[in-house]
Amino acid sequence: LELGVSELRRFLSESLPEYMIPARFVWLDSLPLTPNGKVDRRALPAPTDAVSADDETPFVAPRGPGEEALAAIWSEVLGLAEVGVGHNFFDLGGHSLLATQIASRLRHDLGVELGVADLFGHPTVAALAELVEQRRAGQAAQTLLPFERDARPPLSFSQERVWFIQQLHPENISYNFQATFRFKGKLDVDALERSLSEIVRRHEIFRTTFPAIGGVPVQSIQEPFRVSLPLSDLRHLPEAAREAEAERLIAEEFRKPFDLSRLPLVRWTLLRLDDRVHVITQVEHHLVHDGWSFNIFLRELVELYRSYASGGEPHLPELPIQFADFAAWQRRWLQGTVAEAQLDYWRKKLAGSPQLLELPTDYPRPAVKSFRGRTQRFELPAPMCRSLRELSRREGVTLFMTMFSALLVILHRYTRQEDICVGSAIANRRWRETEGLIGMIINNIVLRTDLSGDLTFKELLRRVRVVTLEAYEHQDVPFERVVEALHPGRGLSHNPLFQVMFGFHDSPAPRLEFPGLTVELTEGLSNNSSKFDMSIIAIPRSEQCVKLRRAGADEEITMLWEYSTDLFEEATITQMRGHYERMLESVVADPAQRLGDITLLSEDERRLILFDFNNTAADLPAAETVHQLFSERAASDPGRTALRGGGASLSYGELEARSNHLARRLLALGLRVEDRVAVLAGRSPELVVAALAALKAGGAYVPVDVQYPAERVRWMLNDSGARVVLTERRFEHLLAEAPADLHVLFVEEESARFDGHETASVAERAGAGNAAYVIYTSGSTGRPKGVVVEHAALLNLVQWHRREYGVTAA
């Protein structure tokens, strides 16, 4: 039976939702099986066809030199044998970072300046070829060339920022990157050391230090050196103890800081667990590293090791420029009109942006952040990964945009802010000459997104696409210059312009195929630090391996959720990332739903909120009010000290008698049940006497802070409808503009009138359902708002205090 893709999709759509329909189809005569009869996933062929299997666009060969040149560039970047002029770049597996590589090649090879947004708008070879022809007129090719070296090359702007942070916190290791390689097989240590030495020779940045000359940091490039791996041989330990000792040594290596003025700023160590198992640790400072650089390092390491291990010599081409050339070019470029235009965009885009993302934290923000942090690492389920890519393809956005949009909804729900700024790191490799260069070229951009209005997720995706593409077109201006131009409020407690980072590590990754070895790479390992309040990193394996067309890679998205332990508990982050996963599940199932309708709660959380928190059944005393409980305690133990303050103390019996006396004075004024009684007193025995008297008289007291300005006091008295105010003479000035019919009683004067003979209790007037007090909040509109609390609620709170803190009537 011959079936086409259309028939297969139509058949599947009858029983599956759209997001579960495969994006690609591969025809097999039979499935490869393992010896025990299960599907051998590793043996499944990669979908290496020139087009997506769900794209039935007929192949049309390039029809002229322009289309031929473009098709060749696409084939190289995407790793395809051939590309037709009608095939869609993003359907072939392209994404924003690969679009940047297309743009850099167009600039280098054809002398045409195009942006990522141009490729989104012209995603086929045919459409882009027309645009290229329109742009070629009047444009001259530009290249990034080596500059004439002096003794003190400058730092790049990103390096400069990190260098100054390091001077403030010399022991800070949050800007260290670490990874481990676990090699199984016969490791050729000499070949490995020669490979690392050659990488150090090829890339000046790995032998550069950063001393300060006259307080200004400079690059000091040293001569090449041979790498000799420090060895820790653990073979003498019992097998069970080796792994534990290896973990201890790795953690110890990760915690070591760097001295920026001395080599090395990248460290490798070798652990030998047995003759055929070795672990290599790699730690490098961010001044010599970024995510793209690490993949360059891996690619060169594989090629060099293969050559040296086989007895041959490597043939890597020499680099056209070094990192110091890029840093010098960047400073010259910033003097030009293009840089000024980009900077002007950021001035306008970020004008008036919120200074702080007000996430609810477990701890108050410290005056100076410590950079202490932790990381949670987890994998998104494979079906979800496939669904996210399919949703992105259908909506004409990248996977980054979809996952970032979901994070924005989480931040919006947690903060209730509609104007949200999140940072993102961008590779900044828009020049062909920088594609093979190791160094800190990465730049931070601010993605400011408006979440106002009753948006659907699809509508948010469209907004995010515009925000992201605009940011890509203005990515060259260093973040440090943007901060300098905007002059945001600066402090040591938080990062300027954004405090949450969303990273996407989709730079091209090589296959780690070492002869005679299998290798397990673990990158992004935590060293218990955090540069931001929160940094969420996605590592989408398929996007890293588009050019390799690795089978099964689309099922892998690793998430790293780094957070500041100054602000957050581990349980809070676990809950938040759980909400993020549920957000992703919800939007792939129905991207047309409105953001406010998306539920984040798990079944356990729903049960906790709806049922467990409301399971308030408790054994309550016979008394219906707190002041009844107090009277019972006073009757059973009248001589015991009840409170101290202001150099005086009152026993339970004295406090009972004084509050009864004042309650009778209130009743004499005609106070009715639930009438409001304002209490304006300092932290003194009079404050407690006044509150108890108001309750005993059946009134609802209104606490008024003596620190409030007179205008706020007047507002609260009027808004609450208080009939009486109990206060002290020293606060009489706050009542200058009080209502004329307000009765004012001075508590200390009423206490002076008490002769100690009125000891009878006041008849009970209020019950569990009556108002006990009115508490005023700040109010979201800026005006205080009163909340009425009943006696039953107050009694319940007091009983909880007694249970929780072990308070007894004795």
Side-chain angles (χ1 to χ4, degrees):
L1 176 64
E2 291 293 332
L3 288 177
V5 172
S6 295
E7 288 83 359
L8 276 173
R9 289 184 63 86
R10 191 178 305 113
F11 170 75
L12 292 173
S13 65
E14 293 175 359
S15 55
L16 293 175
E18 176 68 22
Y19 72 91
M20 292 186 68
I21 297 175
R24 293 174 180 266
F25 294 88
V26 177
W27 275 258
L28 299 175
D29 294 329
S30 62
L31 290 172
L33 302 177
T34 63
N36 60 5
K38 296 182 179 180
V39 175
D40 187 351
R41 294 180 180 273
R42 292 181 179 273
L44 288 170
T48 54
D49 296 342
V51 298
S52 282
D54 62 353
D55 182 357
E56 296 189 355
T57 304
F59 178 81
V60 177
R63 297 160 295 193
E67 289 183 351
E68 288 176 358
L70 279 176
I73 290 173
W74 284 29
S75 296
E76 178 191 355
V77 171
L78 294 170
L80 297 171
E82 56 182 8
V83 175
V85 298
H87 293 136
N88 187 293
F89 175 77
F90 298 100
D91 288 346
L92 298 178
H95 51 79
S96 300
L97 197 54
L98 294 180
T100 300
Q101 288 187 260
I102 296 287
S104 74
R105 281 158 171 73
L106 289 174
R107 178 193 298 113
H108 184 274
D109 298 350
L110 304 181
V112 178
E113 190 73 41
L114 292 180
V116 174
D118 291 318
L119 195 53
F120 271 80
H122 305 76
T124 66
V125 168
L128 195 63
E130 292 183 12
L131 183 63
V132 167
E133 287 303 314
Q134 295 171 16
R135 297 278 180 90
R136 291 185 80 164
Q139 287 192 1
Q142 300 181 55
T143 55
L144 202 163
L145 300 172
F147 78 109
E148 293 185 10
R149 299 291 182 89
D150 58 24
R152 301 171 182 176
L155 276 64
S156 72
F157 284 93
S158 296
Q159 283 183 316
E160 202 170 68
R161 172 176 55 87
V162 172
W163 187 90
F164 279 112
I165 290 174
Q166 199 72 52
Q167 304 314 300
L168 291 172
H169 306 275
E171 299 301 311
N172 177 21
I173 58 173
S174 66
Y175 285 94
N176 291 4
F177 166 85
Q178 46 276 323
T180 62
F181 303 79
R182 179 177 286 261
F183 290 99
K184 293 183 179 179
K186 185 173 177 56
L187 178 66
D188 187 333
V189 176
D190 180 67
L192 180 60
E193 291 181 334
R194 290 180 67 189
S195 301
L196 295 174
S197 300
E198 174 62 7
I199 292 173
V200 169
R201 184 200 69 79
R202 286 173 51 78
H203 296 275
E204 289 179 349
I205 194 67
F206 274 167
R207 43 191 170 87
T208 298
T209 59
F210 303 92
I213 306 296
V216 177
V218 296
Q219 295 192 53
S220 177
I221 301 168
Q222 312 298 315
E223 291 298 316
F225 58 87
R226 175 173 172 78
V227 174
S228 180
L229 291 171
L231 172 65
S232 294
D233 195 333
L234 307 181
R235 290 177 296 177
H236 65 285
L237 295 174
E239 186 174 351
R242 293 177 197 168
E243 291 293 342
E245 178 63 8
E247 289 183 12
R248 187 191 69 80
L249 291 172
I250 291 170
E252 183 179 275
E253 185 65 24
F254 287 175
R255 287 194 296 267
K256 293 177 183 176
F258 285 103
D259 181 348
L260 302 185
S261 64
R262 298 177 58 188
L263 290 177
L265 294 182
V266 54
R267 299 192 301 261
W268 295 281
T269 60
L270 175 64
L271 308 178
R272 179 174 291 148
L273 277 66
D274 66 38
D275 292 341
R276 297 184 62 82
V277 179
H278 294 78
V279 175
I280 308 293
T281 68
Q282 178 167 332
V283 186
E284 53 188 318
H285 197 277
H286 212 337
L287 286 176
V288 303
H289 164 90
D290 62 18
W292 184 293
S293 298
F294 185 60
N295 284 330
I296 295 171
F297 166 81
L298 293 177
R299 186 161 55 250
E300 293 194 358
L301 180 64
V302 170
E303 187 165 342
L304 291 167
Y305 183 89
R306 291 173 68 89
S307 297
Y308 289 133
S310 64
E313 289 297 321
H315 299 286
L316 289 175
E318 289 298 318
L319 299 168
I321 63 169
Q322 291 287 338
F323 181 81
D325 301 316
F326 167 79
W329 168 85
Q330 183 186 58
R331 291 182 179 269
R332 290 197 302 269
W333 177 84
L334 281 169
Q335 308 304 315
T337 57
V338 175
E340 185 56 37
Q342 288 198 20
L343 190 57
D344 189 54
Y345 164 82
W346 290 112
R347 287 193 190 100
K348 294 174 181 175
K349 181 67 178 179
L350 300 179
S353 60
Q355 296 297 303
L356 199 64
L357 187 63
E358 298 285 357
L359 283 168
T361 60
D362 297 306
Y363 306 106
R365 185 179 296 278
V368 179
K369 64 180 179 180
S370 70
F371 294 96
R372 288 188 294 266
R374 287 186 182 161
T375 301
Q376 293 191 15
R377 185 186 188 104
F378 58 101
E379 304 288 332
L380 293 180
M384 180 192 293
C385 298
R386 291 193 293 269
S387 299
L388 286 168
R389 290 184 172 92
E390 175 61 20
L391 170 62
S392 303
R393 188 192 64 79
R394 290 199 315 268
E395 297 302 320
V397 297
T398 62
L399 180 62
F400 168 89
M401 296 174 188
T402 300
M403 297 183 70
F404 175 62
S405 296
L407 178 65
L408 285 175
V409 182
I410 295 294
L411 298 177
H412 167 60
R413 296 283 281 272
Y414 269 69
T415 64
R416 310 313 301 171
Q417 292 174 237
E418 295 180 335
D419 184 1
I420 295 180
C421 291
V422 175
S424 187
I426 193 162
N428 199 27
R429 305 271 178 157
R430 297 219 289 177
W431 295 81
R432 182 72 183 271
E433 293 82 3
T434 62
E435 286 188 12
L437 194 60
I438 289 178
M440 191 184 178
I441 298 177
I442 193 169
N443 190 26
N444 289 339
I445 54 176
V446 184
L447 300 176
R448 183 184 186 183
T449 312
D450 174 16
L451 280 82
S452 63
D454 191 14
L455 294 177
T456 66
F457 189 74
K458 281 188 174 184
E459 291 168 339
L460 177 59
L461 281 177
R462 288 195 286 271
R463 289 190 185 182
V464 166
R465 172 174 160 151
V466 171
V467 167
T468 306
L469 291 180
E470 284 184 358
Y472 290 164
E473 293 305 304
H474 301 88
Q475 64 175 280
D476 300 303
V477 176
F479 175 72
E480 295 69 29
R481 290 298 298 270
V482 176
V483 174
E484 181 183 313
L486 288 166
H487 302 294
R490 302 297 295 269
L492 298 178
S493 67
H494 63 275
N495 296 77
L497 299 184
F498 68 87
Q499 295 79 48
V500 171
M501 168 76 82
F502 183 68
F504 209 71
H505 290 190
D506 55 357
S507 57
R511 281 196 179 99
L512 299 182
E513 296 178 342
F514 293 83
L517 295 167
T518 61
V519 60
E520 178 184 328
L521 168 65
T522 306
E523 58 185 296
L525 293 167
S526 175
N527 58 14
N528 293 329
S529 68
S530 179
K531 294 183 284 292
F532 305 98
D533 291 1
M534 200 177 290
S535 183
I536 299 92
I537 299 170
I539 307 176
R541 305 301 180 181
S542 177
E543 281 66 20
Q544 288 185 328
C545 302
V546 165
K547 191 170 181 177
L548 302 177
R549 305 281 158 178
R550 194 181 76 195
D554 62 325
E555 297 185 359
E556 304 171 18
I557 298 180
T558 301
M559 300 294 298
L560 305 177
W561 206 292
E562 182 183 277
Y563 62 97
S564 167
T565 52
D566 287 344
L567 301 176
F568 301 104
E569 290 277 2
E570 182 178 7
T572 300
I573 302 303
T574 300
Q575 181 186 55
M576 184 179 288
R577 72 174 179 85
H579 289 165
Y580 180 65
E581 287 190 64
R582 279 185 283 281
M583 174 65 63
L584 293 175
E585 292 172 356
S586 186
V587 299
V588 297
D590 181 11
Q593 62 185 312
R594 302 204 171 274
L595 303 184
D597 295 336
I598 300 174
T599 181
L600 304 181
L601 302 180
S602 67
E603 285 303 314
D604 288 343
E605 288 172 326
R606 287 175 61 83
R607 189 183 313 111
L608 181 68
I609 293 172
L610 297 178
F611 300 103
D612 295 354
F613 283 167
N614 287 309
N615 184 16
T616 56
D619 294 329
L620 296 177
E624 291 188 336
T625 64
V626 169
H627 58 273
Q628 281 182 267
L629 282 183
F630 179 81
S631 294
E632 291 173 5
R633 177 65 184 270
S636 66
D637 198 0
R640 192 181 185 108
T641 299
L643 61 86
R644 294 188 181 91
S649 65
L650 290 177
S651 67
Y652 278 95
E654 291 171 327
L655 183 54
E656 171 77 356
R658 286 174 183 263
S659 59
N660 285 340
H661 167 75
L662 187 54
R664 291 191 184 90
R665 287 282 289 128
L666 293 173
L667 292 173
L669 295 174
L671 191 76
R672 297 164 302 190
V673 174
E674 294 193 343
D675 275 353
R676 305 322 191 224
V677 178
V679 177
L680 179 64
R683 293 179 62 86
S684 64
E686 284 73 18
L687 175 65
V688 182
V689 171
L692 271 174
L695 293 174
K696 290 183 174 185
Y701 72 88
V702 182
V704 182
D705 197 316
V706 295
Q707 300 295 324
Y708 288 160
E711 181 182 0
R712 182 177 176 118
V713 173
R714 183 179 69 253
W715 163 263
M716 292 174 63
L717 295 176
N718 281 311
D719 185 67
S720 66
R723 293 193 59 204
V724 183
V725 61
L726 301 176
T727 188
E728 301 172 71
R729 279 286 180 188
R730 56 184 173 143
F731 304 122
E732 186 176 8
H733 64 282
L734 294 175
L735 302 173
E737 300 181 30
D741 59 348
L742 183 68
H743 294 284
V744 180
L745 295 181
F746 297 104
V747 184
E748 71 272 34
E749 295 176 6
E750 294 298 328
S751 295
R753 292 193 184 98
F754 176 61
D755 58 10
H757 297 300
E758 299 176 78
T759 58
S761 298
V762 178
E764 195 62 46
R765 292 165 56 80
N770 292 121
Y773 65 93
V774 180
I775 189 73
Y776 273 80
T777 68
S778 58
S780 58
T781 62
R783 287 178 174 256
K785 293 181 180 179
V787 177
V788 178
V789 180
E790 295 180 349
H791 278 280
L794 179 58
L795 181 65
N796 187 47
L797 175 65
V798 170
Q799 288 298 97
W800 178 83
H801 285 158
R802 296 175 73 175
R803 291 193 304 272
E804 186 73 13
Y805 301 114
V807 178
T808 64

